[in-house]
Protein backbone atom coordinates (compact mmCIF):
# COMPACT_ATOMS: atom_id res chain seq x y z
CA UNK A 1 0.00 0.00 0.00
CA UNK A 2 1.23 3.48 -0.87
CA UNK A 3 1.17 6.60 1.29
CA UNK A 4 0.93 9.97 -0.46
CA UNK A 5 2.43 12.73 1.72
CA UNK A 6 1.29 16.28 0.93
CA UNK A 7 3.01 19.20 2.68
CA UNK A 8 4.45 22.48 1.41
CA UNK A 9 7.36 22.23 3.90
CA UNK A 10 10.14 20.13 2.35
CA UNK A 11 11.69 19.09 5.69
CA UNK A 12 8.34 17.88 7.01
CA UNK A 13 7.62 15.93 3.81
CA UNK A 14 11.00 14.24 3.92
CA UNK A 15 10.92 13.38 7.62
CA UNK A 16 7.43 11.81 7.38
CA UNK A 17 8.43 9.95 4.22
CA UNK A 18 11.65 8.59 5.77
CA UNK A 19 9.89 7.43 8.91
CA UNK A 20 7.08 5.66 7.05
CA UNK A 21 9.55 4.14 4.58
CA UNK A 22 11.48 2.68 7.53
CA UNK A 23 8.17 1.20 8.68
CA UNK A 24 7.86 -0.62 5.37
CA UNK A 25 5.59 1.71 3.39
CA UNK A 26 5.96 2.85 -0.21
CA UNK A 27 5.78 6.64 0.01
CA UNK A 28 5.43 9.42 -2.55
CA UNK A 29 5.61 13.12 -1.73
CA UNK A 30 3.90 16.22 -3.13
CA UNK A 31 4.65 19.88 -2.42
CA UNK A 32 1.07 21.00 -3.08
CA UNK A 33 -2.47 19.67 -3.11
CA UNK A 34 -2.75 20.61 -6.78
CA UNK A 35 0.16 18.31 -7.69
CA UNK A 36 -1.17 15.48 -5.52
CA UNK A 37 -4.59 15.53 -7.17
CA UNK A 38 -2.96 14.67 -10.50
CA UNK A 39 -1.74 11.33 -9.10
CA UNK A 40 -4.65 10.30 -6.87
CA UNK A 41 -7.20 8.18 -8.73
CA UNK A 42 -10.48 6.63 -7.51
CA UNK A 43 -8.74 3.29 -6.90
CA UNK A 44 -5.51 4.73 -5.47
CA UNK A 45 -3.80 1.77 -3.75
CA UNK A 46 -3.06 3.52 -0.49
CA UNK A 47 -3.82 6.47 1.80
CA UNK A 48 -3.07 10.19 2.03
CA UNK A 49 -1.29 12.16 4.77
CA UNK A 50 -1.81 15.91 4.32
CA UNK A 51 -1.02 19.11 6.16
CA UNK A 52 -4.03 21.38 6.72
CA UNK A 53 -2.36 24.78 6.31
CA UNK A 54 -0.81 25.08 2.85
CA UNK A 55 -0.63 27.96 0.32
CA UNK A 56 -2.97 27.77 -2.64
CA UNK A 57 -5.38 24.90 -2.05
CA UNK A 58 -5.35 24.25 1.70
CA UNK A 59 -5.89 20.89 3.38
CA UNK A 60 -9.61 21.40 3.90
CA UNK A 61 -10.23 22.17 0.24
CA UNK A 62 -7.94 19.28 -0.70
CA UNK A 63 -9.93 16.91 1.53
CA UNK A 64 -13.21 17.92 -0.11
CA UNK A 65 -11.68 17.36 -3.56
CA UNK A 66 -10.41 13.91 -2.52
CA UNK A 67 -13.83 12.93 -1.21
CA UNK A 68 -15.17 13.76 -4.67
CA UNK A 69 -12.52 11.55 -6.28
CA UNK A 70 -13.05 8.59 -3.92
CA UNK A 71 -15.23 8.99 -0.84
CA UNK A 72 -13.61 5.97 0.84
CA UNK A 73 -9.98 7.14 0.51
CA UNK A 74 -8.49 7.46 4.05
CA UNK A 75 -6.96 10.90 4.64
CA UNK A 76 -4.92 11.64 7.77
CA UNK A 77 -4.71 15.39 8.45
CA UNK A 78 -1.78 17.12 10.18
CA UNK A 79 -2.55 20.30 12.07
CA UNK A 80 -0.55 22.85 13.99
CA UNK A 81 -1.11 23.72 17.63
CA UNK A 82 -4.35 25.61 18.10
CA UNK A 83 -5.94 24.31 14.90
CA UNK A 84 -7.69 21.37 16.54
CA UNK A 85 -11.20 22.81 15.84
CA UNK A 86 -10.25 22.84 12.15
CA UNK A 87 -9.12 19.22 12.41
CA UNK A 88 -12.42 18.28 14.06
CA UNK A 89 -14.22 19.93 11.13
CA UNK A 90 -12.03 17.86 8.79
CA UNK A 91 -13.19 14.71 10.59
CA UNK A 92 -16.79 15.80 10.05
CA UNK A 93 -16.11 16.19 6.32
CA UNK A 94 -14.62 12.71 6.15
CA UNK A 95 -10.97 12.71 7.27
CA UNK A 96 -9.81 9.36 8.67
CA UNK A 97 -8.03 10.96 11.65
CA UNK A 98 -5.70 13.84 12.51
CA UNK A 99 -2.35 14.43 14.20
CA UNK A 100 -1.36 17.60 16.02
CA UNK A 101 2.19 18.93 15.61
CA UNK A 102 4.57 18.02 17.08
CA UNK A 103 3.38 14.43 16.82
CA UNK A 104 4.84 11.14 17.95
CA UNK A 105 6.18 9.20 14.91
CA UNK A 106 4.98 5.97 16.50
CA UNK A 107 1.47 7.40 16.53
CA UNK A 108 1.84 8.23 12.83
CA UNK A 109 2.84 4.61 12.07
CA UNK A 110 -0.06 3.27 14.12
CA UNK A 111 -2.58 5.44 12.27
CA UNK A 112 -1.03 4.58 8.91
CA UNK A 113 -1.30 0.87 9.69
CA UNK A 114 -5.00 1.12 10.57
CA UNK A 115 -5.78 3.35 7.60
CA UNK A 116 -3.98 1.11 5.08
CA UNK A 117 -5.72 -1.97 6.46
CA UNK A 118 -9.06 -0.22 6.01
CA UNK A 119 -8.07 0.84 2.49
CA UNK A 120 -6.99 -2.67 1.52
CA UNK A 121 -10.32 -4.08 2.73
CA UNK A 122 -12.22 -1.43 0.76
CA UNK A 123 -10.29 -2.13 -2.44
CA UNK A 124 -10.63 -5.92 -2.01
CA UNK A 125 -14.39 -5.60 -1.56
CA UNK A 126 -14.59 -3.24 -4.52
CA UNK A 127 -12.67 -5.72 -6.69
CA UNK A 128 -14.92 -8.56 -5.53
CA UNK A 129 -18.07 -6.61 -6.35
CA UNK A 130 -16.64 -5.76 -9.77
CA UNK A 131 -15.83 -9.42 -10.39
CA UNK A 132 -19.28 -10.54 -9.30
CA UNK A 133 -20.82 -8.04 -11.71
CA UNK A 134 -18.51 -9.02 -14.56
CA UNK A 135 -20.17 -11.92 -16.32
CA UNK A 136 -17.16 -12.63 -18.51
CA UNK A 137 -14.84 -12.93 -15.49
CA UNK A 138 -17.15 -15.37 -13.73
CA UNK A 139 -17.83 -17.40 -16.87
CA UNK A 140 -14.09 -17.77 -17.46
CA UNK A 141 -13.88 -19.66 -14.16
CA UNK A 142 -16.17 -22.35 -15.56
CA UNK A 143 -13.25 -24.16 -17.15
CA UNK A 144 -13.93 -26.90 -19.67
CA UNK A 145 -15.03 -27.54 -23.22
CA UNK A 146 -16.82 -30.87 -22.79
CA UNK A 147 -20.36 -31.11 -24.21
CA UNK A 148 -21.91 -31.10 -20.72
CA UNK A 149 -19.97 -27.95 -19.74
CA UNK A 150 -20.83 -26.17 -22.98
CA UNK A 151 -24.47 -26.98 -22.30
CA UNK A 152 -24.14 -25.70 -18.72
CA UNK A 153 -22.67 -22.39 -19.96
CA UNK A 154 -25.50 -22.01 -22.45
CA UNK A 155 -28.03 -22.67 -19.68
CA UNK A 156 -26.39 -20.03 -17.48
CA UNK A 157 -26.47 -17.42 -20.24
CA UNK A 158 -30.12 -18.21 -21.05
CA UNK A 159 -31.41 -18.44 -17.47
CA UNK A 160 -29.31 -15.50 -16.31
CA UNK A 161 -31.32 -13.24 -18.63
CA UNK A 162 -34.61 -14.63 -17.32
CA UNK A 163 -36.13 -13.26 -14.12
CA UNK A 164 -37.62 -16.35 -12.47
CA UNK A 165 -36.30 -18.14 -9.41
CA UNK A 166 -33.73 -20.88 -10.06
CA UNK A 167 -33.03 -24.25 -8.46
CA UNK A 168 -29.45 -25.54 -8.83
CA UNK A 169 -28.87 -29.26 -8.31
CA UNK A 170 -25.81 -31.47 -8.52
CA UNK A 171 -23.41 -33.59 -6.51
CA UNK A 172 -21.22 -32.15 -3.78
CA UNK A 173 -18.13 -30.33 -5.01
CA UNK A 174 -19.36 -29.70 -8.55
CA UNK A 175 -19.34 -25.90 -8.30
CA UNK A 176 -22.98 -25.03 -7.68
CA UNK A 177 -22.15 -21.84 -5.79
CA UNK A 178 -19.96 -20.66 -8.70
CA UNK A 179 -22.90 -21.28 -11.03
CA UNK A 180 -25.10 -19.14 -8.75
CA UNK A 181 -22.53 -16.30 -8.97
CA UNK A 182 -22.50 -16.68 -12.77
CA UNK A 183 -26.30 -16.58 -13.06
CA UNK A 184 -26.30 -13.30 -11.16
CA UNK A 185 -23.34 -11.83 -13.06
CA UNK A 186 -24.76 -12.37 -16.56
CA UNK A 187 -28.26 -11.12 -15.75
CA UNK A 188 -30.01 -7.78 -15.47
CA UNK A 189 -29.40 -7.71 -11.69
CA UNK A 190 -25.60 -7.88 -12.03
CA UNK A 191 -25.13 -4.44 -10.45
CA UNK A 192 -27.57 -5.15 -7.62
CA UNK A 193 -26.93 -6.89 -4.30
CA UNK A 194 -25.81 -10.54 -4.21
CA UNK A 195 -26.45 -12.14 -0.82
CA UNK A 196 -25.57 -15.75 -0.02
CA UNK A 197 -26.93 -17.59 3.01
CA UNK A 198 -25.78 -21.10 4.00
CA UNK A 199 -29.00 -22.39 5.54
CA UNK A 200 -27.36 -25.40 7.20
CA UNK A 201 -25.00 -23.11 9.16
CA UNK A 202 -27.81 -21.81 11.42
CA UNK A 203 -30.26 -23.31 13.85
CA UNK A 204 -33.92 -22.66 13.05
CA UNK A 205 -34.31 -19.58 15.23
CA UNK A 206 -31.08 -17.95 14.04
CA UNK A 207 -31.90 -18.71 10.38
CA UNK A 208 -35.36 -17.20 10.79
CA UNK A 209 -33.83 -13.98 12.13
CA UNK A 210 -31.13 -13.95 9.43
CA UNK A 211 -33.65 -14.33 6.64
CA UNK A 212 -36.64 -12.36 7.88
CA UNK A 213 -35.80 -10.58 11.14
CA UNK A 214 -36.50 -9.14 13.62
CA UNK A 215 -32.86 -8.26 14.16
CA UNK A 216 -31.19 -8.22 17.53
CA UNK A 217 -28.26 -6.04 18.56
CA UNK A 218 -25.27 -6.53 16.20
CA UNK A 219 -27.36 -8.66 13.79
CA UNK A 220 -27.00 -7.84 10.07
CA UNK A 221 -29.96 -6.62 8.02
CA UNK A 222 -32.40 -9.50 7.30
CA UNK A 223 -31.31 -11.18 4.06
CA UNK A 224 -34.67 -10.71 2.33
CA UNK A 225 -34.32 -6.97 2.90
CA UNK A 226 -30.57 -6.87 2.21
CA UNK A 227 -31.02 -8.54 -1.20
CA UNK A 228 -34.02 -6.43 -2.22
CA UNK A 229 -33.89 -5.83 -5.96
CA UNK A 230 -30.96 -8.22 -6.36
CA UNK A 231 -30.28 -11.91 -5.83
CA UNK A 232 -30.61 -14.02 -2.69
CA UNK A 233 -28.85 -17.40 -2.81
CA UNK A 234 -30.03 -20.06 -0.37
CA UNK A 235 -27.38 -22.76 -0.06
CA UNK A 236 -28.60 -26.08 1.41
CA UNK A 237 -32.20 -25.03 0.85
CA UNK A 238 -33.25 -28.53 1.97
CA UNK A 239 -32.23 -27.50 5.52
CA UNK A 240 -35.24 -25.14 5.80
CA UNK A 241 -37.70 -26.35 8.41
CA UNK A 242 -41.42 -26.66 7.47
CA UNK A 243 -42.12 -23.40 9.33
CA UNK A 244 -39.38 -21.52 7.46
CA UNK A 245 -40.51 -23.02 4.17
CA UNK A 246 -43.98 -21.61 4.82
CA UNK A 247 -42.56 -18.23 5.72
CA UNK A 248 -40.37 -18.14 2.61
CA UNK A 249 -43.34 -19.06 0.42
CA UNK A 250 -45.37 -16.22 1.94
CA UNK A 251 -42.51 -13.78 1.27
CA UNK A 252 -42.29 -14.94 -2.35
CA UNK A 253 -46.04 -14.59 -2.84
CA UNK A 254 -45.95 -11.06 -1.44
CA UNK A 255 -43.29 -10.02 -3.96
CA UNK A 256 -45.60 -10.44 -6.90
CA UNK A 257 -44.48 -10.94 -10.50
CA UNK A 258 -41.82 -10.26 -11.60
CA UNK A 259 -40.14 -11.02 -8.29
CA UNK A 260 -38.55 -8.03 -6.56
CA UNK A 261 -35.76 -10.29 -5.27
CA UNK A 262 -34.59 -13.28 -7.28
CA UNK A 263 -34.05 -16.46 -5.29
CA UNK A 264 -31.42 -18.97 -6.36
CA UNK A 265 -31.82 -22.15 -4.31
CA UNK A 266 -28.94 -24.64 -4.12
CA UNK A 267 -29.86 -28.20 -3.18
CA UNK A 268 -27.10 -30.40 -1.76
CA UNK A 269 -29.06 -33.57 -1.01
CA UNK A 270 -26.87 -36.66 -1.26
CA UNK A 271 -29.04 -39.32 0.41
CA UNK A 272 -30.24 -42.22 -1.69
CA UNK A 273 -33.88 -41.88 -2.60
CA UNK A 274 -34.19 -38.26 -1.42
CA UNK A 275 -34.61 -35.31 -3.75
CA UNK A 276 -35.16 -31.64 -3.26
CA UNK A 277 -38.73 -32.15 -4.43
CA UNK A 278 -39.33 -34.76 -1.74
CA UNK A 279 -38.11 -32.59 1.19
CA UNK A 280 -39.64 -29.23 0.23
CA UNK A 281 -43.35 -28.54 0.32
CA UNK A 282 -44.73 -28.83 -3.19
CA UNK A 283 -45.89 -25.23 -3.60
CA UNK A 284 -42.50 -23.87 -2.51
CA UNK A 285 -40.58 -26.36 -4.66
CA UNK A 286 -42.44 -25.39 -7.81
CA UNK A 287 -41.89 -21.69 -7.08
CA UNK A 288 -38.15 -22.18 -6.60
CA UNK A 289 -37.81 -24.63 -9.47
CA UNK A 290 -39.39 -22.36 -12.06
CA UNK A 291 -36.00 -22.65 -13.76
CA UNK A 292 -33.58 -25.51 -13.07
CA UNK A 293 -29.88 -26.08 -13.60
CA UNK A 294 -28.06 -29.36 -13.03
CA UNK A 295 -24.29 -29.10 -12.62
CA UNK A 296 -22.60 -32.17 -14.13
CA UNK A 297 -20.33 -34.42 -12.02
CA UNK A 298 -16.64 -34.37 -12.88
CA UNK A 299 -16.61 -37.98 -14.08
CA UNK A 300 -18.90 -36.99 -16.98
CA UNK A 301 -16.66 -34.16 -18.17
CA UNK A 302 -14.05 -36.16 -20.08
CA UNK A 303 -10.88 -34.27 -20.97
CA UNK A 304 -12.00 -31.31 -18.84
CA UNK A 305 -10.46 -33.34 -16.00
CA UNK A 306 -7.00 -33.00 -17.54
CA UNK A 307 -7.51 -29.33 -18.36
CA UNK A 308 -8.60 -28.58 -14.80
CA UNK A 309 -5.76 -30.62 -13.28
CA UNK A 310 -3.22 -28.75 -15.40
CA UNK A 311 -4.59 -25.29 -14.49
CA UNK A 312 -4.84 -26.14 -10.80
CA UNK A 313 -1.38 -27.69 -10.55
CA UNK A 314 0.11 -24.63 -12.30
CA UNK A 315 -1.62 -22.33 -9.81
CA UNK A 316 -0.41 -24.33 -6.81
CA UNK A 317 3.10 -24.60 -8.26
CA UNK A 318 3.21 -20.82 -8.59
CA UNK A 319 1.92 -20.44 -5.03
CA UNK A 320 4.51 -22.85 -3.58
CA UNK A 321 7.35 -21.66 -5.79
CA UNK A 322 8.10 -24.97 -7.48
CA UNK A 323 7.48 -26.83 -10.73
CA UNK A 324 4.13 -28.38 -11.58
CA UNK A 325 4.18 -32.19 -11.95
CA UNK A 326 4.45 -33.57 -15.48
CA UNK A 327 1.57 -35.97 -16.16
CA UNK A 328 2.45 -39.21 -17.95
CA UNK A 329 0.11 -41.00 -20.35
CA UNK A 330 -0.65 -43.62 -17.68
CA UNK A 331 -1.42 -40.94 -15.07
CA UNK A 332 -3.63 -39.07 -17.55
CA UNK A 333 -5.64 -42.27 -18.11
CA UNK A 334 -5.91 -42.73 -14.32
CA UNK A 335 -7.16 -39.17 -13.87
CA UNK A 336 -9.76 -39.72 -16.59
CA UNK A 337 -10.94 -43.05 -15.16
CA UNK A 338 -11.10 -42.06 -11.48
CA UNK A 339 -14.63 -41.97 -9.99
CA UNK A 340 -14.18 -38.49 -8.42
CA UNK A 341 -16.86 -38.77 -5.72
CA UNK A 342 -15.81 -35.33 -4.43
CA UNK A 343 -15.85 -33.83 -7.94
CA UNK A 344 -13.96 -30.56 -8.59
CA UNK A 345 -13.34 -30.00 -4.89
CA UNK A 346 -11.58 -33.37 -4.72
CA UNK A 347 -9.59 -32.58 -7.88
CA UNK A 348 -8.37 -29.33 -6.28
CA UNK A 349 -7.09 -31.30 -3.28
CA UNK A 350 -5.38 -33.89 -5.48
CA UNK A 351 -3.70 -31.18 -7.60
CA UNK A 352 -2.35 -29.40 -4.51
CA UNK A 353 -0.99 -32.62 -3.01
CA UNK A 354 0.55 -33.59 -6.36
CA UNK A 355 2.45 -30.29 -6.44
CA UNK A 356 3.67 -30.76 -2.86
CA UNK A 357 4.76 -34.31 -3.67
CA UNK A 358 6.58 -33.10 -6.76
CA UNK A 359 8.38 -30.46 -4.70
CA UNK A 360 9.65 -33.21 -2.37
CA UNK A 361 10.40 -35.53 -5.29
CA UNK A 362 8.27 -38.34 -3.85
CA UNK A 363 4.94 -40.03 -4.55
CA UNK A 364 2.80 -40.39 -7.65
CA UNK A 365 -0.57 -39.14 -8.86
CA UNK A 366 -1.72 -42.77 -8.91
CA UNK A 367 -1.03 -43.11 -5.17
CA UNK A 368 -3.06 -39.97 -4.46
CA UNK A 369 -6.00 -41.28 -6.47
CA UNK A 370 -5.87 -44.67 -4.76
CA UNK A 371 -5.84 -43.02 -1.33
CA UNK A 372 -8.77 -40.80 -2.24
CA UNK A 373 -10.89 -43.48 -3.88
CA UNK A 374 -10.11 -46.61 -1.88
CA UNK A 375 -13.50 -46.48 -0.14
CA UNK A 376 -15.40 -45.59 -3.31
CA UNK A 377 -17.18 -47.93 -5.64
CA UNK A 378 -15.23 -48.60 -8.86
CA UNK A 379 -16.42 -46.28 -11.61
CA UNK A 380 -15.47 -45.23 -15.11
CA UNK A 381 -15.69 -41.71 -16.46
CA UNK A 382 -17.88 -42.99 -19.26
CA UNK A 383 -18.79 -46.54 -20.11
CA UNK A 384 -17.43 -48.01 -23.31
CA UNK A 385 -15.12 -45.07 -23.99
CA UNK A 386 -12.68 -46.15 -26.74
CA UNK A 387 -8.92 -46.01 -26.23
CA UNK A 388 -8.68 -43.46 -29.06
CA UNK A 389 -10.53 -40.86 -26.98
CA UNK A 390 -8.20 -41.32 -23.99
CA UNK A 391 -5.19 -40.97 -26.28
CA UNK A 392 -6.59 -37.79 -27.84
CA UNK A 393 -7.32 -36.28 -24.42
CA UNK A 394 -3.72 -36.94 -23.34
CA UNK A 395 -2.36 -35.58 -26.62
CA UNK A 396 -4.35 -32.37 -26.25
CA UNK A 397 -3.16 -31.92 -22.66
CA UNK A 398 0.47 -32.52 -23.69
CA UNK A 399 0.36 -29.91 -26.46
CA UNK A 400 -1.49 -27.44 -24.24
CA UNK A 401 1.04 -27.84 -21.39
CA UNK A 402 4.01 -27.51 -23.75
CA UNK A 403 2.57 -24.40 -25.41
CA UNK A 404 2.03 -22.83 -21.99
CA UNK A 405 5.53 -23.67 -20.83
CA UNK A 406 7.10 -22.15 -23.96
CA UNK A 407 4.66 -19.20 -24.01
CA UNK A 408 3.43 -19.91 -27.53
CA UNK A 409 6.81 -20.52 -29.18
CA UNK A 410 5.96 -22.88 -32.03
CA UNK A 411 9.62 -23.71 -32.71
CA UNK A 412 10.26 -24.69 -29.08
CA UNK A 413 7.12 -26.85 -28.99
CA UNK A 414 8.06 -28.56 -32.26
CA UNK A 415 11.52 -29.39 -30.87
CA UNK A 416 10.27 -30.71 -27.52
CA UNK A 417 7.50 -32.85 -28.98
CA UNK A 418 9.50 -33.85 -32.09
CA UNK A 419 6.66 -32.78 -34.38
CA UNK A 420 6.92 -31.20 -37.84
CA UNK A 421 5.21 -27.84 -38.09
CA UNK A 422 2.39 -29.08 -40.33
CA UNK A 423 1.52 -31.90 -37.91
CA UNK A 424 1.55 -29.53 -34.94
CA UNK A 425 -0.69 -27.06 -36.78
CA UNK A 426 -3.15 -29.83 -37.69
CA UNK A 427 -3.31 -31.10 -34.11
CA UNK A 428 -3.77 -27.61 -32.69
CA UNK A 429 -6.62 -27.04 -35.13
CA UNK A 430 -8.13 -30.41 -34.23
CA UNK A 431 -8.07 -29.61 -30.50
CA UNK A 432 -9.07 -25.95 -30.94
CA UNK A 433 -5.81 -24.64 -29.45
CA UNK A 434 -4.95 -21.07 -30.47
CA UNK A 435 -1.33 -19.86 -30.34
CA UNK A 436 -2.55 -16.36 -29.35
CA UNK A 437 -3.84 -17.77 -26.05
CA UNK A 438 -0.29 -18.61 -24.96
CA UNK A 439 1.57 -15.45 -25.93
CA UNK A 440 2.76 -13.20 -23.12
CA UNK A 441 0.85 -9.93 -22.87
Amino acid sequence: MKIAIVDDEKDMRQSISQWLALSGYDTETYASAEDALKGLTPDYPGIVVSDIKMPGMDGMQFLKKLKGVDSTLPVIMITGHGDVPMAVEAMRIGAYDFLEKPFNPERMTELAKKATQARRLTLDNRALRKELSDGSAIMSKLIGASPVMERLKEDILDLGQADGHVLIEGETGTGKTLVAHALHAVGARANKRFVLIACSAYDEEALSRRLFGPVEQDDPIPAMEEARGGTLVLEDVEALSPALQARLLTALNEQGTPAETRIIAICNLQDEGKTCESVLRADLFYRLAALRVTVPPLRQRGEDILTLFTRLSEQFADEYGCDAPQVSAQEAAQLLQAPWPGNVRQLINVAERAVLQNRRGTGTIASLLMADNEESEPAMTTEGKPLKEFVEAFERMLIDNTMRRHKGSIVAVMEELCLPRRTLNEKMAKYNLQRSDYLQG
Side-chain angles (χ1 to χ4, degrees):
M1 300 295 284
K2 293 184 176 181
I3 300 182
I5 301 161
V6 187
D7 198 308
D8 62 300
E9 295 181 19
K10 183 178 180 180
D11 289 345
M12 180 61 72
R13 285 198 311 272
Q14 290 181 340
S15 63
I16 295 175
S17 177
Q18 288 170 1
W19 177 259
L20 290 174
L22 288 172
S23 300
Y25 292 102
D26 180 11
T27 63
E28 48 192 29
T29 60
Y30 299 94
S32 69
E34 291 86 351
D35 287 343
L37 283 171
K38 296 174 185 177
L40 297 171
T41 62
D43 289 317
Y44 180 71
I47 66 169
V48 177
V49 175
S50 174
D51 193 12
I52 285 185
K53 288 199 171 180
M54 296 185 290
M57 184 185 297
D58 65 19
M60 298 296 282
Q61 294 171 310
F62 180 45
L63 175 62
K64 291 176 183 177
K65 289 278 189 182
L66 288 177
K67 289 295 144 179
V69 171
D70 187 338
S71 62
T72 65
L73 179 62
V75 182
I76 297 172
M77 308 300 293
I78 299 175
T79 178
H81 180 69
D83 291 330
V84 172
M86 188 180 295
V88 172
E89 174 63 12
M91 295 284 287
R92 188 191 66 78
I93 294 173
Y96 183 82
D97 211 326
F98 70 93
L99 289 167
E100 185 180 4
K101 297 177 184 176
F103 54 82
N104 183 340
E106 296 288 351
R107 174 61 178 159
M108 165 71 76
T109 303
E110 180 186 342
L111 272 183
K113 180 180 179 181
K114 290 180 180 179
T116 52
Q117 287 175 341
R119 183 59 172 170
R120 182 175 289 110
L121 181 61
T122 296
L123 293 178
D124 287 348
N125 288 339
R126 188 176 290 171
L128 178 61
R129 285 197 300 273
K130 183 178 180 181
E131 182 177 336
L132 292 181
S133 65
D134 183 351
S136 60
I138 290 290
M139 292 295 284
S140 69
K141 293 187 176 182
L142 295 166
I143 297 171
S146 61
V148 290
M149 280 304 289
E150 290 298 327
R151 190 157 53 248
L152 175 63
K153 293 173 188 177
E154 289 172 4
D155 287 344
I156 290 171
L157 291 172
D158 289 342
L159 301 187
Q161 297 300 316
D163 213 32
H165 306 306
V166 184
L167 176 65
I168 302 176
E169 299 171 294
E171 296 179 9
T172 184
T174 50
K176 297 185 290 295
T177 302
L178 179 59
V179 170
H181 280 296
L183 284 167
H184 174 78
V186 302
R189 301 174 189 260
N191 293 317
K192 304 293 185 181
R193 294 303 303 272
F194 179 94
V195 180
L196 188 148
I197 302 296
C199 299
S200 60
Y202 300 83
D203 60 36
E204 183 175 0
E205 181 182 350
L207 182 57
S208 178
R209 284 203 319 272
R210 182 66 185 95
L211 289 175
F212 308 107
V215 296
E216 297 183 353
Q217 188 174 5
D218 299 327
D219 278 352
I221 301 170
M224 289 296 292
E225 178 64 29
E226 186 181 359
R228 186 182 297 276
T231 301
L232 173 61
V233 178
L234 299 177
E235 274 192 337
D236 306 313
V237 67
E238 69 277 4
L240 292 175
S241 67
L244 287 180
Q245 290 184 38
R247 196 164 180 188
L248 177 60
L249 180 64
T250 299
L252 296 183
N253 289 335
E254 289 174 350
Q255 286 195 72
T257 305
E260 184 176 21
T261 301
R262 188 182 205 187
I263 305 294
I264 298 179
I266 298 177
C267 184
N268 283 308
L269 272 176
Q270 300 297 317
D271 294 343
E272 284 274 334
K274 282 190 177 181
T275 64
C276 201
E277 185 173 359
S278 69
V279 298
L280 294 181
R281 52 186 291 166
D283 43 5
L284 176 62
F285 173 80
Y286 288 113
R287 288 297 298 274
L288 296 177
L291 304 169
R292 297 174 77 169
V293 176
T294 300
V295 185
L298 186 59
R299 62 182 173 275
Q300 292 180 3
R301 294 177 54 183
E303 67 181 52
D304 285 356
I305 296 169
L306 300 182
T307 303
L308 278 164
F309 183 83
T310 298
R311 300 291 188 277
L312 291 166
S313 59
E314 286 175 349
Q315 290 171 13
F316 284 122
D318 184 61
E319 181 179 334
Y320 290 114
C322 61
D323 293 330
Q326 297 300 308
V327 180
S328 68
Q330 181 180 2
E331 289 171 328
Q334 290 165 339
L335 287 167
L336 289 167
Q337 290 177 292
W340 299 113
N343 293 290
V344 177
R345 194 174 297 143
Q346 181 188 0
L347 180 62
I348 293 171
N349 295 335
V350 170
E352 182 173 17
R353 284 181 287 159
V355 168
L356 292 173
Q357 279 189 166
N358 191 60
R359 185 172 68 169
R360 294 194 304 267
T362 60
T364 64
I365 293 172
S367 65
L368 294 175
L369 293 174
M370 288 177 65
D372 264 18
N373 299 317
E374 61 185 2
E375 298 180 359
S376 305
E377 292 296 321
M380 291 287 289
T381 305
T382 53
E383 293 183 8
K385 192 178 180 84
L387 177 63
K388 178 175 178 288
E389 292 188 28
F390 284 105
V391 172
E392 289 178 346
F394 174 72
E395 191 173 63
R396 185 189 189 282
M397 180 197 71
L398 192 61
I399 296 172
D400 178 47
N401 289 352
T402 310
M403 288 291 290
R404 286 182 183 280
R405 193 162 55 254
H406 293 295
K407 300 178 176 59
S409 171
I410 295 294
V411 173
V413 174
M414 287 166 52
E415 290 178 355
E416 181 171 332
L417 299 181
C418 300
L419 287 174
R421 181 157 195 144
R422 179 176 177 180
T423 303
L424 178 59
N425 289 343
E426 289 173 349
K427 290 185 179 296
M428 288 182 66
K430 176 182 178 180
Y431 301 129
N432 196 29
L433 300 173
Q434 306 291 329
R435 178 172 177 264
S436 59
D437 293 337
Y438 304 96
L439 298 175
Q440 281 187 309

